[in-house]
Amino acid sequence: MKISVLGCGYVGLVSGACFADFGDTVLCADLDETRIAALERGDIPIFEPGLEQIVASNTQSGRLSFTTDVPRAVREADVVFIAVGTPTRRGDGHADLSYVYAVAETISKSLTGYTVIVTKSTVPVGTGDEVERIVRQGNPDADFSVVSNPEFLREGAAIEDFKRPDRIVVGTDDPRARDVMTEVYRPLFLNRSPLLFVSRRTAELTKYASNGFLAMKITFINELADLCEAVGADVQDVARGIGLDNRIGPKFLNAGPGFGGSCFPKDALALVKTAQDYDSPVRLVETTVSINDNRKRTMAQKIIAACGGDVSGRTIALLGLTFKPNTDDMREAPSIAIVQALQAGGATIRAFDPQGMQAAAALFDGVHYAEDAYDAADGADAVVIVTEWELFRALDLARIKELLRTPVMIDLRNIYRPSEMKQLGFYYSSIGRPNDAHGRST
Ligand code: UGA
């Protein structure tokens, strides 16, 4: 099977590398010459555990290669995956489809033989119809099918998600395309991953429904966490208590500072806009978006309260800046609202993140970037765990306490136990667990 992937961003690169790892011949194309040159040297532009090794081994074996020649990639392929970006359009919250449509134009000019064109980028309902129209218009005689095959990869766990998916959703009514897609996913199918064939529009909507639901699930537990604090209950026990019900499930019930990243905020908003356009609003998702935006802002208030109500002239150490661990991605990270509000309150920020400091430096002014967690805590008035990187789970807490001017820890990811922290002499504040008047654990 000859596969081409158009767009060497996060989705394109992971998908291309994993298909090559299955034994397919994969050509990944991107117009960005610098990016392609870097990839050819083996430099991976994003931090994703395991990706570099897969790219290296498959490049060496000759199954994976890179090009800026998009028409060639289309010409040589049996299956062309569109994996270009769909950022939020400025001003109205809709997904910006200009890259998808531009690539559809290019594809139309270069098709040879029967080709399956697969949209992997997250695109609103009806985009597949428009891609088909563009390709047909550009090349009326071409023999092709347009399929929707949304991805469900999590940053930081993308290789694992690709190779062991809960399901693969393929949107097409065309039996020929169905056969080709069955062949593409044969290795996973043999591994018992369910391959779900649905209509193209259904597949497009399934992606948004999935992200919308997960965003809602997180927001539900976040609101419950606030209620737990108010009534003196423990949100982690509540999450376990409800999560053991198979109908609810235990995943995505970790209360925290609000969801971020390049997907949930953007996709939830795009789903809201699509639903409004079709006069069929998704009010739960609308509310999810506004609760989550507000939550990120209120996290700074929580930190300020734990510091006694005022951070002016104080130094706050932030551990973790990225929107989640195992990524260098700062998009929509809760840390952004936190840094801004703390700085506005007169605080000085010392921050450490294992991968995100370069991206953070482009966003923040006046933040001091530390060597490690201990350097960040040195002389600070409080330490805040913003992102639950593995290495923050095993901190030498006695050392942290010694380095801090006052032993205050605000744990926005609940990675430590209140009783332990109290025993160690910390004023410890976390999410959704019984607190005192300053929001500190009791
Ligand atoms: C998400 C989905 O999980 C993927 O299935 C989907 O393919 C991807 O979006 C996408 O559309 O491309 P991702 O954004 O990489 O993946 O990260 P998640 O692990 O889903 O986390 C998103 C946010 O939710 C993070 O800020 C995380 O801290 C937060 N979260 C997650 C919680 O606050 N609590 C949880 O229990 C889980």
Side-chain angles (χ1 to χ4, degrees), residues 141-165:
D141 300 326
D143 190 13
F144 68 97
S145 308
V146 175
V147 169
S148 164
N149 172 218
E151 57 83 17
F152 300 102
L153 310 175
R154 284 165 303 162
E155 286 188 24
I159 308 289
E160 172 71 12
D161 283 352
F162 194 96
K163 294 195 162 179
R164 267 171 282 276

mmCIF file of all heavy atoms in Angstrom, residues 141-165:
data_model
loop_
_atom_site.group_PDB
_atom_site.id
_atom_site.type_symbol
_atom_site.label_atom_id
_atom_site.label_comp_id
_atom_site.label_asym_id
_atom_site.label_seq_id
_atom_site.Cartn_x
_atom_site.Cartn_y
_atom_site.Cartn_z
ATOM 1 N N ASP A 141 -12.461 14.072 -14.690
ATOM 2 C CA ASP A 141 -12.320 12.667 -15.080
ATOM 3 C C ASP A 141 -11.650 11.799 -14.008
ATOM 4 O O ASP A 141 -11.481 10.593 -14.203
ATOM 5 C CB ASP A 141 -11.479 12.561 -16.363
ATOM 6 C CG ASP A 141 -12.163 13.316 -17.501
ATOM 7 O OD1 ASP A 141 -13.409 13.324 -17.521
ATOM 8 O OD2 ASP A 141 -11.439 13.919 -18.323
ATOM 9 N N ALA A 142 -11.239 12.396 -12.940
ATOM 10 C CA ALA A 142 -10.461 11.642 -11.940
ATOM 11 C C ALA A 142 -11.299 10.548 -11.295
ATOM 12 O O ALA A 142 -12.512 10.675 -11.156
ATOM 13 C CB ALA A 142 -9.945 12.592 -10.869
ATOM 14 N N ASP A 143 -10.600 9.469 -10.914
ATOM 15 C CA ASP A 143 -11.250 8.331 -10.257
ATOM 16 C C ASP A 143 -10.831 8.356 -8.778
ATOM 17 O O ASP A 143 -9.681 8.049 -8.443
ATOM 18 C CB ASP A 143 -10.752 7.046 -10.942
ATOM 19 C CG ASP A 143 -11.549 5.826 -10.497
ATOM 20 O OD1 ASP A 143 -12.621 6.009 -9.869
ATOM 21 O OD2 ASP A 143 -11.088 4.697 -10.769
ATOM 22 N N PHE A 144 -11.737 8.774 -7.907
ATOM 23 C CA PHE A 144 -11.346 8.943 -6.498
ATOM 24 C C PHE A 144 -12.562 8.811 -5.578
ATOM 25 O O PHE A 144 -13.712 8.893 -6.017
ATOM 26 C CB PHE A 144 -10.707 10.321 -6.284
ATOM 27 C CG PHE A 144 -11.692 11.464 -6.449
ATOM 28 C CD1 PHE A 144 -12.313 12.035 -5.341
ATOM 29 C CD2 PHE A 144 -12.018 11.958 -7.706
ATOM 30 C CE1 PHE A 144 -13.233 13.074 -5.480
ATOM 31 C CE2 PHE A 144 -12.947 12.988 -7.858
ATOM 32 C CZ PHE A 144 -13.548 13.545 -6.750
ATOM 33 N N SER A 145 -12.271 8.607 -4.294
ATOM 34 C CA SER A 145 -13.311 8.672 -3.254
ATOM 35 C C SER A 145 -12.780 9.568 -2.151
ATOM 36 O O SER A 145 -11.572 9.579 -1.887
ATOM 37 C CB SER A 145 -13.575 7.303 -2.640
ATOM 38 O OG SER A 145 -13.820 6.351 -3.635
ATOM 39 N N VAL A 146 -13.665 10.292 -1.508
ATOM 40 C CA VAL A 146 -13.273 11.118 -0.359
ATOM 41 C C VAL A 146 -13.860 10.489 0.906
ATOM 42 O O VAL A 146 -15.064 10.251 0.997
ATOM 43 C CB VAL A 146 -13.753 12.578 -0.519
ATOM 44 C CG1 VAL A 146 -13.430 13.389 0.740
ATOM 45 C CG2 VAL A 146 -13.112 13.219 -1.747
ATOM 46 N N VAL A 147 -12.965 10.218 1.851
ATOM 47 C CA VAL A 147 -13.342 9.499 3.074
ATOM 48 C C VAL A 147 -13.010 10.368 4.286
ATOM 49 O O VAL A 147 -12.042 11.123 4.258
ATOM 50 C CB VAL A 147 -12.524 8.174 3.137
ATOM 51 C CG1 VAL A 147 -12.655 7.498 4.477
ATOM 52 C CG2 VAL A 147 -12.939 7.238 2.012
ATOM 53 N N SER A 148 -13.805 10.254 5.331
ATOM 54 C CA SER A 148 -13.446 10.912 6.594
ATOM 55 C C SER A 148 -12.925 9.854 7.569
ATOM 56 O O SER A 148 -13.551 8.808 7.751
ATOM 57 C CB SER A 148 -14.678 11.592 7.198
ATOM 58 O OG SER A 148 -14.442 11.897 8.554
ATOM 59 N N ASN A 149 -11.762 10.124 8.132
ATOM 60 C CA ASN A 149 -11.174 9.175 9.097
ATOM 61 C C ASN A 149 -10.536 9.987 10.232
ATOM 62 O O ASN A 149 -9.340 10.190 10.282
ATOM 63 C CB ASN A 149 -10.138 8.313 8.363
ATOM 64 C CG ASN A 149 -9.313 7.424 9.272
ATOM 65 O OD1 ASN A 149 -8.119 7.234 9.039
ATOM 66 N ND2 ASN A 149 -9.903 6.876 10.304
ATOM 67 N N PRO A 150 -11.366 10.488 11.143
ATOM 68 C CA PRO A 150 -10.834 11.358 12.203
ATOM 69 C C PRO A 150 -9.837 10.641 13.093
ATOM 70 O O PRO A 150 -9.908 9.422 13.259
ATOM 71 C CB PRO A 150 -12.080 11.749 12.997
ATOM 72 C CG PRO A 150 -13.110 10.723 12.677
ATOM 73 C CD PRO A 150 -12.805 10.242 11.289
ATOM 74 N N GLU A 151 -8.912 11.423 13.650
ATOM 75 C CA GLU A 151 -7.927 10.813 14.560
ATOM 76 C C GLU A 151 -8.338 11.086 16.000
ATOM 77 O O GLU A 151 -8.976 12.086 16.288
ATOM 78 C CB GLU A 151 -6.522 11.339 14.250
ATOM 79 C CG GLU A 151 -6.344 12.850 14.322
ATOM 80 C CD GLU A 151 -6.115 13.381 15.709
ATOM 81 O OE1 GLU A 151 -5.783 12.574 16.586
ATOM 82 O OE2 GLU A 151 -6.287 14.588 15.924
ATOM 83 N N PHE A 152 -7.941 10.163 16.869
ATOM 84 C CA PHE A 152 -8.264 10.306 18.295
ATOM 85 C C PHE A 152 -6.987 10.211 19.129
ATOM 86 O O PHE A 152 -6.952 9.563 20.163
ATOM 87 C CB PHE A 152 -9.277 9.230 18.716
ATOM 88 C CG PHE A 152 -10.578 9.296 17.952
ATOM 89 C CD1 PHE A 152 -10.849 8.416 16.914
ATOM 90 C CD2 PHE A 152 -11.529 10.260 18.259
ATOM 91 C CE1 PHE A 152 -12.039 8.481 16.195
ATOM 92 C CE2 PHE A 152 -12.734 10.335 17.550
ATOM 93 C CZ PHE A 152 -12.989 9.448 16.519
ATOM 94 N N LEU A 153 -5.920 10.831 18.625
ATOM 95 C CA LEU A 153 -4.625 10.728 19.306
ATOM 96 C C LEU A 153 -4.508 11.772 20.403
ATOM 97 O O LEU A 153 -4.874 12.922 20.195
ATOM 98 C CB LEU A 153 -3.488 10.972 18.299
ATOM 99 C CG LEU A 153 -3.524 10.187 16.986
ATOM 100 C CD1 LEU A 153 -2.391 10.644 16.074
ATOM 101 C CD2 LEU A 153 -3.415 8.697 17.274
ATOM 102 N N ARG A 154 -3.973 11.341 21.537
ATOM 103 C CA ARG A 154 -3.673 12.308 22.590
ATOM 104 C C ARG A 154 -2.215 12.702 22.491
ATOM 105 O O ARG A 154 -1.349 11.830 22.319
ATOM 106 C CB ARG A 154 -3.888 11.689 23.971
ATOM 107 C CG ARG A 154 -5.320 11.542 24.396
ATOM 108 C CD ARG A 154 -5.390 10.616 25.579
ATOM 109 N NE ARG A 154 -4.777 9.331 25.243
ATOM 110 C CZ ARG A 154 -4.373 8.432 26.138
ATOM 111 N NH1 ARG A 154 -4.506 8.670 27.412
ATOM 112 N NH2 ARG A 154 -3.835 7.290 25.749
ATOM 113 N N GLU A 155 -1.930 13.978 22.636
ATOM 114 C CA GLU A 155 -0.537 14.395 22.683
ATOM 115 C C GLU A 155 0.127 13.702 23.861
ATOM 116 O O GLU A 155 -0.473 13.552 24.916
ATOM 117 C CB GLU A 155 -0.427 15.917 22.851
ATOM 118 C CG GLU A 155 -0.774 16.648 21.587
ATOM 119 C CD GLU A 155 -0.492 18.142 21.662
ATOM 120 O OE1 GLU A 155 0.346 18.559 22.464
ATOM 121 O OE2 GLU A 155 -1.147 18.877 20.909
ATOM 122 N N GLY A 156 1.348 13.272 23.665
ATOM 123 C CA GLY A 156 2.073 12.611 24.751
ATOM 124 C C GLY A 156 1.825 11.104 24.773
ATOM 125 O O GLY A 156 2.570 10.365 25.396
ATOM 126 N N ALA A 157 0.751 10.648 24.119
ATOM 127 C CA ALA A 157 0.466 9.205 24.093
ATOM 128 C C ALA A 157 0.042 8.815 22.683
ATOM 129 O O ALA A 157 -0.678 7.837 22.473
ATOM 130 C CB ALA A 157 -0.636 8.876 25.088
ATOM 131 N N ALA A 158 0.487 9.595 21.704
ATOM 132 C CA ALA A 158 -0.037 9.463 20.348
ATOM 133 C C ALA A 158 0.332 8.134 19.682
ATOM 134 O O ALA A 158 -0.491 7.539 18.986
ATOM 135 C CB ALA A 158 0.451 10.630 19.494
ATOM 136 N N ILE A 159 1.550 7.665 19.915
ATOM 137 C CA ILE A 159 1.979 6.419 19.260
ATOM 138 C C ILE A 159 1.137 5.259 19.806
ATOM 139 O O ILE A 159 0.617 4.430 19.055
ATOM 140 C CB ILE A 159 3.487 6.149 19.515
ATOM 141 C CG1 ILE A 159 4.333 7.369 19.142
ATOM 142 C CG2 ILE A 159 3.961 4.886 18.822
ATOM 143 C CD1 ILE A 159 4.465 7.666 17.696
ATOM 144 N N GLU A 160 1.031 5.230 21.118
ATOM 145 C CA GLU A 160 0.230 4.198 21.785
ATOM 146 C C GLU A 160 -1.232 4.271 21.282
ATOM 147 O O GLU A 160 -1.835 3.257 20.932
ATOM 148 C CB GLU A 160 0.293 4.458 23.306
ATOM 149 C CG GLU A 160 -0.616 3.615 24.157
ATOM 150 C CD GLU A 160 -0.190 2.160 24.235
ATOM 151 O OE1 GLU A 160 0.929 1.852 23.820
ATOM 152 O OE2 GLU A 160 -1.030 1.338 24.681
ATOM 153 N N ASP A 161 -1.779 5.481 21.215
ATOM 154 C CA ASP A 161 -3.164 5.647 20.756
ATOM 155 C C ASP A 161 -3.332 5.191 19.307
ATOM 156 O O ASP A 161 -4.360 4.634 18.933
ATOM 157 C CB ASP A 161 -3.612 7.118 20.877
ATOM 158 C CG ASP A 161 -3.942 7.497 22.311
ATOM 159 O OD1 ASP A 161 -3.981 6.597 23.173
ATOM 160 O OD2 ASP A 161 -4.165 8.694 22.569
ATOM 161 N N PHE A 162 -2.315 5.462 18.489
ATOM 162 C CA PHE A 162 -2.406 5.069 17.078
ATOM 163 C C PHE A 162 -2.354 3.551 16.937
ATOM 164 O O PHE A 162 -3.086 2.958 16.147
ATOM 165 C CB PHE A 162 -1.287 5.710 16.249
ATOM 166 C CG PHE A 162 -1.539 5.620 14.769
ATOM 167 C CD1 PHE A 162 -2.131 6.684 14.091
ATOM 168 C CD2 PHE A 162 -1.239 4.470 14.049
ATOM 169 C CE1 PHE A 162 -2.404 6.595 12.729
ATOM 170 C CE2 PHE A 162 -1.506 4.381 12.692
ATOM 171 C CZ PHE A 162 -2.091 5.447 12.025
ATOM 172 N N LYS A 163 -1.482 2.936 17.719
ATOM 173 C CA LYS A 163 -1.260 1.494 17.544
ATOM 174 C C LYS A 163 -2.247 0.640 18.321
ATOM 175 O O LYS A 163 -2.415 -0.529 18.022
ATOM 176 C CB LYS A 163 0.170 1.144 17.955
ATOM 177 C CG LYS A 163 1.177 1.785 17.001
ATOM 178 C CD LYS A 163 2.526 1.176 17.174
ATOM 179 C CE LYS A 163 3.373 1.493 15.958
ATOM 180 N NZ LYS A 163 4.705 0.944 16.077
ATOM 181 N N ARG A 164 -2.848 1.207 19.341
ATOM 182 C CA ARG A 164 -3.847 0.466 20.119
ATOM 183 C C ARG A 164 -5.085 1.320 20.325
ATOM 184 O O ARG A 164 -5.437 1.669 21.447
ATOM 185 C CB ARG A 164 -3.252 0.040 21.470
ATOM 186 C CG ARG A 164 -2.657 -1.343 21.432
ATOM 187 C CD ARG A 164 -1.888 -1.658 22.684
ATOM 188 N NE ARG A 164 -0.577 -1.008 22.660
ATOM 189 C CZ ARG A 164 0.489 -1.514 22.054
ATOM 190 N NH1 ARG A 164 0.422 -2.663 21.451
ATOM 191 N NH2 ARG A 164 1.632 -0.870 22.050
ATOM 192 N N PRO A 165 -5.770 1.658 19.229
ATOM 193 C CA PRO A 165 -6.918 2.557 19.371
ATOM 194 C C PRO A 165 -8.137 1.855 19.962
ATOM 195 O O PRO A 165 -8.281 0.640 19.807
ATOM 196 C CB PRO A 165 -7.204 2.977 17.920
ATOM 197 C CG PRO A 165 -6.721 1.820 17.104
ATOM 198 C CD PRO A 165 -5.560 1.218 17.843
#
